[in-house]
Amino acid sequence: ADTLSVALVLQAENSVEIQKVFEFTRNSYLVKVRYDIINRGTAPWNGVMYAQLKRDSSKDPSASNQGFGMSTFLGGAWWTKEKPYNKADFDDFAESPMKESVTGGWAAMIQHYFVSAWVPDAKGTNVFTTRKSGDDNIIGYTGPQIAVAPGAQQKIEASLYVGPKVQKILETVSPGLELTVDYGWLWPVSQFLYWLLSLIHGWVGNWGWAIVFLTVLVKAAFFQLSATS
């Protein structure tokens, strides 16, 4: 099958059943997460959606392989309408925790080549937070309160991306999520080179040759300047 649904069922108090359903899709890093709340009791059920990502404070395992004294960003990131890419390292989690009300967006934990991100309903308004708990660094969000009347049922949904930082995939998951490919202060140049590299790859169909041709083009562009020097 192309999809697989895994349901975890909780028989809660007052005859309330909560089903937490994970839906996996073949060849996809995006997991759909759904809560089905079924109220068979006589009293209303109230609750909120809560999602978090948690990481300890250990260093990036690939940090020793990064040269020229430059290391990729390790920490949390989130989207807001005013600023599509916000980030905070683990020191910020302890010293200046974040709390923002955001409509749509995403909250992520970033490490070199990979990103984990919760993506709530784009139309819903949630409270995004960061915090420190012991050695753990936590980023996540809390959704609006919902009420399920007796004899009724309701669902809450979100998406969880866990995988490599592939820009073409990330930009289809949520606006601004592709910015987690953090080029730092060289972003304009790096983004252009990535676009050119992808364009060449579409032509030659091989990343090795694409890098060779990109190098030749860059050398040709700066040939006169190099010759003068």
Side-chain angles (χ1 to χ4, degrees):
D2 289 328
T3 60
L4 173 67
S5 293
V6 180
L8 308 179
V9 182
L10 170 68
Q11 301 297 337
E13 298 178 352
N14 302 321
S15 301
V16 175
E17 179 180 303
I18 300 176
Q19 299 179 3
K20 185 176 185 178
V21 183
F22 296 89
E23 185 176 303
F24 302 92
T25 302
R26 187 181 298 277
N27 298 323
S28 174
Y29 299 105
L30 192 66
V31 182
K32 294 182 179 179
V33 183
R34 185 181 79 249
Y35 287 93
D36 293 326
I37 301 104
I38 305 167
N39 189 351
R40 300 188 180 94
T42 57
W45 180 93
N46 298 286
V48 297
M49 170 72 176
Y50 176 66
Q52 71 173 24
L53 298 165
K54 181 170 66 175
R55 190 192 186 281
D56 63 20
S57 298
S58 61
K59 294 182 179 180
D60 189 331
S62 61
S64 60
N65 298 325
Q66 300 173 36
F68 302 104
M70 300 177 66
S71 59
T72 54
F73 175 72
L74 172 64
W78 64 97
W79 179 97
T80 64
K81 185 178 180 180
E82 295 75 21
K83 188 178 179 182
Y85 181 57
N86 305 269
K87 62 181 181 180
D89 59 30
F90 294 149
D91 289 336
D92 293 329
F93 277 48
E95 296 169 4
S96 53
M98 174 272 297
K99 185 176 182 180
E100 290 193 51
S101 182
V102 180
T103 300
W106 46 265
M109 197 71 81
I110 303 173
Q111 178 176 304
H112 205 180
Y113 299 117
F114 300 95
V115 57
S116 301
W118 276 108
V119 184
D121 180 5
K123 297 179 181 179
T125 300
N126 306 279
V127 178
F128 285 35
T129 58
T130 60
R131 62 187 175 92
K132 186 90 170 178
S133 177
D135 189 48
D136 293 324
N137 305 281
I138 299 170
I139 186 170
Y141 74 89
T142 303
Q145 179 137 345
I146 64 167
V148 183
Q153 69 179 66
Q154 192 167 333
K155 66 180 180 180
I156 315 171
E157 296 179 295
S159 296
L160 176 65
Y161 181 90
V162 184
K165 294 192 285 188
V166 181
Q167 285 181 289
K168 287 185 177 180
I169 297 177
L170 294 174
E171 63 189 9
T172 65
V173 175
S174 185
L177 190 57
E178 74 278 5
L179 298 176
T180 56
V181 182
D182 189 355
Y183 293 120
W185 61 276
L186 290 174
W187 184 86
V189 175
S190 301
Q191 186 65 30
F192 172 74
L193 290 176
Y194 171 75
W195 172 82
L196 187 56
L197 182 65
S198 300
L199 191 68
I200 298 171
H201 176 261
W203 174 52
V204 300
N206 180 284
W207 285 112
W209 281 111
I211 293 171
V212 170
F213 284 121
L214 176 65
T215 304
V216 171
L217 287 175
V218 171
K219 288 288 187 181
F222 287 95
F223 174 77
Q224 190 60 46
L225 184 63
S226 298
T228 303
S229 174

